[in-house]
Each structure stands twice: as structure tokens, then as C-alpha cells.
Amino acid sequence: MKSELAEMAVDQKRTMPVDDDVPETVPVPHALVPHLDETAILLDIDGTLLDLMPTPREVWVPPGLSETLKRLVERTSGALALVSGRSLNDIDLIFAPDVYRAVAGHGAEMRLSVDNEVDDVHAPPLDKELKRRLAAIAKLSPGILLEDKGYSLALHYRLAPHAEKAIFEAVSLIRADLPNAPIEVLPGKFVCEIKHSGFTKATGVHELMKHEPFRGRRPLFIGDDVTDETVFAIMPDMNGLAFSVGRRAMGVNGHFDAPSDVRAFLARLLDPR
């Protein structure tokens, strides 16, 4: 019998909702340039800012992107943040030596200041026994990669797509044994992540926007995956703009075809013409 969790993963990943009313293109960049001093730029990383790779460790920062982000940080007086499922440590390794404000780990971590680590926020770690049982799922097939973030555990199967159903069914069985455990399963692009319930990218963005230099600004969020939909959903309440990448997601203001288009868009925001 198929587990409900496996069915949910397939439904969310392969039949993502599309809104026929979504514009085919993004707004002309020049329409935003005069207002960068009133805008908060929020960017997902994998599949949005950076191209997807066979494994999470293979992503890289293309030439020119670092300079673009630095200039956007200056133009927005620091109101630029990365919003990712990756940990803060992972984000720093990818973009080193540059350091950015960030909502990391799907809201489990947050960096409010690039100058003071005391301001960083971290969720509590997952139970060790639970992590041990979840980690054993990686043995189902070669190509399943295990990522332990402390507060969550991710099973990447881009190199073993045939194992998708088995992974989600195994996770479902573990959850059935622990019905009261405060955990949540996040299906993504060839990844199944298990984390503490109670925080999402949306809760992280809500909290981030309460602090300087983001407070009072209009958020502009760009994301590509299922986990970004929680942020898409709150943008109207924040008078914000939302853009999807690779697909026309429901409720967004427009979409990009690929991360390269996102990078070009960000660079054009800085064009003085």
C-alpha cells in the first residue's frame, strides 16, 4: 500500500499548481531601480540564484555574481538576505569569503547581522535516536546522500531518483512509530528533509522583516521549490513581490526560466540607465 507521505511527495513535486493568471515575464528592472532604497531583496539559493548540480556540494558561484550581490547590499543599505534550506555554515562555505544576512535551514537558523554572531538564531537539534533511524534510510540505495544539519536531516536522491517512493515510505513508517514527535517532512527537488515543526521559510522571513535594515521595506522574494511557496503566500500581506524560477507558481507576480535569468535580472537592477 502506498503511504500518504509518498503520495504527498509525488503530488507536490510533480504536479505543482500553476496559476494561468501569472504574468509570463518579470517587471522591467528599471521600474524597481529608483526604489531599491525601499526594497528588501530576499533570494533562495539552489535552483534560484545558483544552478542545480548532481550533489549539493557541487554548486558554485558564477563569475560576476559576488560583485552583483555586494553592490545590491550597498544599494539597499544591507537589506539583502539569502533564504535557503541550507545551513548558515553551508551558505558561508559556498559564498566565502563573502558573508550575508540569511534565513537558513528553512527558518531554523537566522543571521540578522553580518558583524555580530551573537545575533544568530538557531533551532534545537533533532533527537539523536530519531536521526539515527532516519540516517539508516540512506542505505536503501547507492546514490542517496545524507546531510545532517543538526536541527534537521536531509536525504538527497538526485543520483538515485528511483528510490523516491522507498525513501518517503520509510520516513512515513518512522513517523507512524512516533506520532507525537514534533517533526515535519519537507519534500523538495530530489530531497526529503525531516525537521522540527513550527518553523518554515515564511516564519523566518516574517521574523527577519521585523529587524533593521529590513523593517519597513517592501520585500522582493525569488524562489523555485515547494518550500518557497510558504514565502510566496505571505508576500501579498507584506505588500511584497514574489517570483518563481523554472515554473509559473501560483500567486507569484512573474517567473524566470532559469537561475541565469535571475542573475541577469539582479545585475540589471544596478544599471544606472
Side-chain angles (χ1 to χ4, degrees):
M1 182 183 297
K2 292 184 178 180
S3 69
E4 292 183 3
L5 193 54
E7 292 284 3
M8 177 186 71
V10 173
D11 289 344
Q12 282 191 304
K13 290 165 68 285
R14 295 180 178 169
T15 59
M16 294 175 182
V18 173
D19 189 343
D20 290 336
D21 295 328
V22 172
E24 287 289 347
T25 59
V26 298
V28 177
H30 304 81
L32 293 173
V33 171
H35 307 291
L36 281 180
D37 58 346
E38 302 172 0
T39 301
I41 300 177
L42 311 175
L43 305 167
D44 175 48
I45 298 176
D46 296 88
T48 296
L49 199 54
L50 304 182
D51 297 287
L52 291 172
M53 293 295 170
T55 67
R57 299 298 179 190
E58 294 180 68
V59 301
W60 59 289
V61 178
L65 178 58
S66 178
E67 181 62 25
T68 296
L69 294 178
K70 286 180 182 177
R71 291 180 62 195
L72 284 172
V73 168
E74 293 174 359
R75 288 288 303 277
T76 60
S77 300
L80 180 147
L82 303 177
V83 182
S84 176
R86 288 181 179 269
S87 66
L88 283 176
N89 184 61
D90 251 9
I91 293 172
D92 290 347
L93 289 175
I94 292 170
F95 291 93
D98 302 323
V99 178
Y100 298 100
R101 292 176 172 85
V103 173
H106 303 291
E109 294 185 296
M110 191 178 306
R111 174 180 290 138
L112 300 174
S113 169
V114 295
D115 302 316
N116 188 357
E117 290 187 5
V118 175
D119 291 334
D120 291 359
V121 178
H122 301 272
L126 280 179
D127 177 78
K128 290 183 178 180
E129 177 60 20
L130 173 61
K131 285 169 63 175
R132 185 190 67 78
R133 293 183 62 182
L134 292 169
I137 297 174
K139 298 178 181 179
L140 288 174
S141 174
I144 301 176
L145 305 179
L146 181 68
E147 182 184 10
D148 184 357
K149 302 178 185 178
Y151 48 79
S152 72
L153 192 143
L155 296 158
H156 299 271
Y157 54 93
R158 186 171 294 274
L159 300 178
H162 60 276
E164 177 183 69
K165 177 183 174 182
I167 290 171
F168 281 94
E169 289 187 339
V171 171
S172 183
L173 289 174
I174 294 174
R175 289 190 70 190
D177 287 343
L178 303 167
N180 297 320
I183 58 175
E184 179 182 359
V185 179
L186 289 179
K189 290 182 177 177
F190 295 102
V191 62
C192 173
E193 184 159 356
I194 303 90
K195 68 175 186 65
H196 275 293
S197 58
F199 57 83
T200 64
K201 285 186 177 181
T203 62
V205 167
H206 257 304
E207 182 62 28
L208 182 76
M209 294 300 296
K210 296 177 182 177
H211 300 269
E212 296 293 347
F214 302 93
R215 183 166 51 201
R217 289 173 174 260
R218 185 185 193 188
L220 184 158
F221 175 70
I222 308 177
D224 74 305
D225 210 347
V226 175
T227 57
D228 297 313
E229 292 178 357
T230 62
V231 186
F232 293 157
I234 66 172
M235 284 297 101
D237 295 335
M238 307 178 81
N239 191 33
L241 297 170
F243 302 99
S244 57
V245 183
R247 63 189 178 94
R248 296 171 59 205
M250 186 175 293
V252 299
N253 299 93
H255 81 283
F256 298 92
D257 290 330
S260 58
D261 298 315
V262 175
R263 296 190 293 268
F265 173 78
L266 295 175
R268 287 199 300 272
L269 287 179
L270 296 164
D271 189 343
R273 295 172 296 178

